[in-house]
């Protein structure tokens, strides 16, 4: 294709730089919805490919140089970045900022760490520019046909972006799966937690598959039938739906079930780890997400797994499942309960982040915009929205009457599944960790009292009493008298 002529000045409604699949699909989505879209990529060939393959999707204005790209945008300009996180993003931001004017808007729609987004937003604010970190969920298909969109930044920037983002987003019951999340890094923070929940959801689904495969001896297609059936009830969700499809798929080369020819090492791009690290900083227990993240690490720990297989015995019980149908019903209930806990923990982290960083995040709205387009869309998200509409300050999602009633129906089955897996030697980190969390959060008294006594003994970290106000310390190395510290 011949080199592009400079695009006309001040014509495009929005520009997208970064023409890999996600960027090009977002650009096409804007164009299909009637917006004039400027295109740019560091390698011109990718821009040419988009025009050659999809130029009929709408009105595109391709540019070879960043200067021409910026010049083609209507004021106040909106430039959306979809490039690799980290230094490449900083480089593109710096180049754009040098060409833009006060009031213009730079949008980072990639998976950036929210702390980087806060830093970038503060730096660009000093130059009079708006920087909007925006979570986009739904993968390649969602980007093209309607994702869930989670923009942060200023309310002023959302006045410009909102109509466009809401139009290209997924819609459920006529409502767009997009809303202004909050200031500076709030959008990327919520997307990070979304991805953390996604980790837990995927892992616990895989644990259910593993138990049906190993304990019941079911083949992949049979298990796919079970997931397809589950998708008709309370577990209805995108991930359950695609799990059934994957398990029904046959490998063309070998004729074997597709899942059986895939190496059992799960990769990760960092958002799960970010979610867990941030939760630790905030003091929020996200045990399901953490165990799911570590499960991927274990799967990829090849030397450790090889060493373990050679010498570590299971000492497991051989348990007969007298009623396979009942076992599958138990699995369904346990899966539902574990998923509810993982979502509850994720919303706890969002609430804690909002308080820590001064964001006014509507938790019910987050559940609403996750109902369509995104990877964790699920039937019960409507119920989460309703729970926060009943009580916007709900301290624990599981304490909402609907969810406490729902999870109560699952507890006996949940306990049976975790006990069976432990006795039989099957790893179920998310099933078991979410159950332990459930038992911890409902407990009247935890063994943390002993931990606090130990801390006071070796480090004089002090403690509080159940029968008196104040902070205390025992002189352990002397006469063991108790002293009040304040």
């Amino acid at each position: 294709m011949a080199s592009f002529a400079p695009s006309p000045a001040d014509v495009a409604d929005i520009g997208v730089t970064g023409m890999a699949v996600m960027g090009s699909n977002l650009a096409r989505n804007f164009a299909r919805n009637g917006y004039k879209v400027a295109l740019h990529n560091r390698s011109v060939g990718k821009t040419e490919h988009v025009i050659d393959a999809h130029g009929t999707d709408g009105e595109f204005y391709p540019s070879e140089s960043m200067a021409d790209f910026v010049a083609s945008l209507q004021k106040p300009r909106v430039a959306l970045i979809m490039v690799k996180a980290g230094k490449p993003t900083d480089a593109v931001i710096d180049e754009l900022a040098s060409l833009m004017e006060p009031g213009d808007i730079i949008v980072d729609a990639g998976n950036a760490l929210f702390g980087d987004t806060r830093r970038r937003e503060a730096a660009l604010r000093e130059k009079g520019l708006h920087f909007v970190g925006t979570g986009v969920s739904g993968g390649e298909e969602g980007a093209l046909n309607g994702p869930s969109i989670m923009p942060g930044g200023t309310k002023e920037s959302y006045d410009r972006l909102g109509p466009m983002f809401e139009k290209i987003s997924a819609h459920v019951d006529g409502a767009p799966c997009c809303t202004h999340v909050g200031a500076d890094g709030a959008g990327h923070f919520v997307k990070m937690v979304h991805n953390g929940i996604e980790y837990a959801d995927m892992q616990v689904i895989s644990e259910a598959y593993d138990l049906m495969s190993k304990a019941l001896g079911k083949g992949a297609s049979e298990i796919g039938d079970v997931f397809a059936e589950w998708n008709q009830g309370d577990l209805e969700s995108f991930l359950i739906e695609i799990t059934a499809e994957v398990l029904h798929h046959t490998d063309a080369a070998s004729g074997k079930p597709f899942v059986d020819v895939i190496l059992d090492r799960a990769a990760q791009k960092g958002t799960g780890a970010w979610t867990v690290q941030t939760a630790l900083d905030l003091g929020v227990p996200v045990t399901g997400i953490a165990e799911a993240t570590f499960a991927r690490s274990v799967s990829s720990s090849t030397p450790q797994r090889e060493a373990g297989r050679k010498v570590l015995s299971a000492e497991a019980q051989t348990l007969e499942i007298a009623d396979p149908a009942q076992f599958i019903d138990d699995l369904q209930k346990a899966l539902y309960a574990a998923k509810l806990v993982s979502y509850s923990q994720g919303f706890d982290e969002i609430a804690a982040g909002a308080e820590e960083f001064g964001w006014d995040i509507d938790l019910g709205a987050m559940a609403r915009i996750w109902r369509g387009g995104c990877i964790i869309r699920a039937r019960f998200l409507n119920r989460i929205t309703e729970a926060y509409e009943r009580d916007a300050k709900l301290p624990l999602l599981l304490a909402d009457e609907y969810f406490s009633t729902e999870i109560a129906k699952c507890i006996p089955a949940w306990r049976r599944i975790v006990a069976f897996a432990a006795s039989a030697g099957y790893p179920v980190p998310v099933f078991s960790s979410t159950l332990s969390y459930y038992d911890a959060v409902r407990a009247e008294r935890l063994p943390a009292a002993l931990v606090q006594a130990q801390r006071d003994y070796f480090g004089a970290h002090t403690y509080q009493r159940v029968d008196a106000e104040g902070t205390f310390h025992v002189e352990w190395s002397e006469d063991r008298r108790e002293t009040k510290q304040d």
Side-chain angles (χ1 to χ4, degrees), residues 118 120-131 154 184:
R118 299 189 77 212
R120 292 160 177 160
E121 193 275 337
L124 291 180
R125 192 189 327 134
E126 291 186 359
K127 298 180 179 180
L129 300 173
H130 296 278
F131 184 73
T154 62
D184 54 70

Side-chain angles (χ1 to χ4, degrees), residues 262-325:
I262 298 176
L263 192 64
D264 61 336
R265 297 177 194 165
Q268 51 186 312
K269 292 188 175 180
T271 47
W274 292 347
T275 306
V276 177
Q277 290 162 353
T278 303
L280 289 169
D281 292 338
L282 294 171
V284 180
V286 291
T287 59
I289 297 168
E291 289 296 343
T293 305
F294 290 135
R296 295 195 186 190
S297 299
V298 170
S299 76
S300 299
S301 297
T302 304
Q304 291 80 8
R305 290 179 65 192
E306 289 178 352
R309 279 195 295 269
K310 292 176 181 177
V311 300
L312 300 181
S313 62
E315 300 298 330
Q317 299 179 34
T318 301
L319 301 175
E320 181 181 350
I321 300 173
D323 188 346

Side-chain angles (χ1 to χ4, degrees), residues 70-130:
V70 171
S72 70
L73 301 173
Q74 292 181 22
K75 299 178 182 180
R77 303 176 181 93
V78 177
L80 186 149
I81 300 169
M82 188 57 87
V83 299
K84 188 176 180 180
K87 291 182 179 179
T89 295
D90 280 320
V92 173
I93 290 170
D94 290 345
E95 187 175 8
L96 280 169
S98 70
L99 297 166
M100 296 181 110
E101 301 173 351
D104 289 346
I105 303 168
I106 299 174
V107 181
D108 178 10
N111 277 332
L113 182 60
F114 77 94
D116 290 340
T117 302
R118 299 189 77 212
R119 167 180 59 80
R120 292 160 177 160
E121 193 275 337
L124 291 180
R125 192 189 327 134
E126 291 186 359
K127 298 180 179 180
L129 300 173
H130 296 278

Side-chain angles (χ1 to χ4, degrees), residues 103-413:
D104 289 346
I105 303 168
I106 299 174
V107 181
D108 178 10
N111 277 332
L113 182 60
F114 77 94
D116 290 340
T117 302
R118 299 189 77 212
R119 167 180 59 80
R120 292 160 177 160
E121 193 275 337
L124 291 180
R125 192 189 327 134
E126 291 186 359
K127 298 180 179 180
L129 300 173
H130 296 278
F131 184 73
V132 179
T134 298
V136 178
S137 179
E140 298 173 8
E141 182 179 346
L144 181 62
N145 298 316
S148 174
I149 307 178
M150 296 152 260
T154 62
K155 291 182 178 179
E156 182 183 354
S157 64
Y158 193 76
D159 289 341
R160 173 80 165 88
L161 297 171
M164 290 189 291
F165 282 0
E166 290 178 14
K167 190 171 183 180
I168 72 159
S169 73
H171 285 66
V172 176
D173 298 329
C177 293
C178 173
T179 192
H180 181 234
V181 175
D184 54 70
H188 275 149
F189 184 93
V190 167
K191 177 55 163 56
M192 173 192 74
V193 176
H194 164 286
N195 283 24
I197 295 171
E198 180 184 309
Y199 273 52
D201 210 343
M202 294 172 71
Q203 174 63 27
V204 78
I205 288 171
S206 298
E207 290 171 19
Y209 150 78
D210 198 44
L211 288 176
M212 281 188 273
S213 174
K214 293 175 180 174
L216 292 178
K218 285 185 172 293
S221 185
E222 287 182 285
I223 301 172
D225 291 341
V226 173
F227 278 103
E229 183 178 345
W230 286 353
N231 198 48
Q232 304 305 309
D234 290 333
L235 285 172
E236 180 189 355
S237 65
F238 174 71
L239 284 171
I240 295 289
E241 176 188 344
I242 67 167
T243 298
E245 290 193 25
V246 167
L247 291 172
H248 283 137
H249 183 58
T250 300
D251 176 53
S254 66
K256 297 178 180 178
F258 179 64
V259 71
D260 291 345
V261 302
I262 298 176
L263 192 64
D264 61 336
R265 297 177 194 165
Q268 51 186 312
K269 292 188 175 180
T271 47
W274 292 347
T275 306
V276 177
Q277 290 162 353
T278 303
L280 289 169
D281 292 338
L282 294 171
V284 180
V286 291
T287 59
I289 297 168
E291 289 296 343
T293 305
F294 290 135
R296 295 195 186 190
S297 299
V298 170
S299 76
S300 299
S301 297
T302 304
Q304 291 80 8
R305 290 179 65 192
E306 289 178 352
R309 279 195 295 269
K310 292 176 181 177
V311 300
L312 300 181
S313 62
E315 300 298 330
Q317 299 179 34
T318 301
L319 301 175
E320 181 181 350
I321 300 173
D323 188 346
Q326 180 61 54
F327 185 82
I328 290 174
D329 186 66
D330 281 356
L331 263 180
Q332 180 182 19
K333 290 183 172 66
L335 180 56
Y336 186 43
K339 283 163 70 81
L340 292 181
V341 168
S342 297
Y343 278 72
S344 180
Q345 292 177 344
F347 276 89
D348 281 349
E349 183 167 355
I350 293 173
E355 182 176 357
E356 175 70 18
F357 300 111
W359 299 323
D360 184 18
I361 298 179
D362 183 337
L363 297 179
M366 297 307 97
R368 177 180 58 77
I369 67 172
W370 288 350
R371 293 181 304 161
C374 76
I375 303 301
I376 63 170
R377 58 185 184 265
R379 175 185 290 191
F380 60 73
L381 283 166
N382 276 325
R383 297 293 191 174
I384 296 178
T385 297
E386 292 167 2
Y388 286 113
E389 287 174 346
R390 284 189 288 272
D391 182 0
K393 300 297 183 181
L394 185 65
L396 176 71
L397 180 61
L398 296 177
D400 174 76
E401 183 179 0
Y402 174 81
F403 287 107
S404 63
T405 301
E406 284 293 289
I407 207 164
K409 301 173 186 176
C410 303
I411 295 168

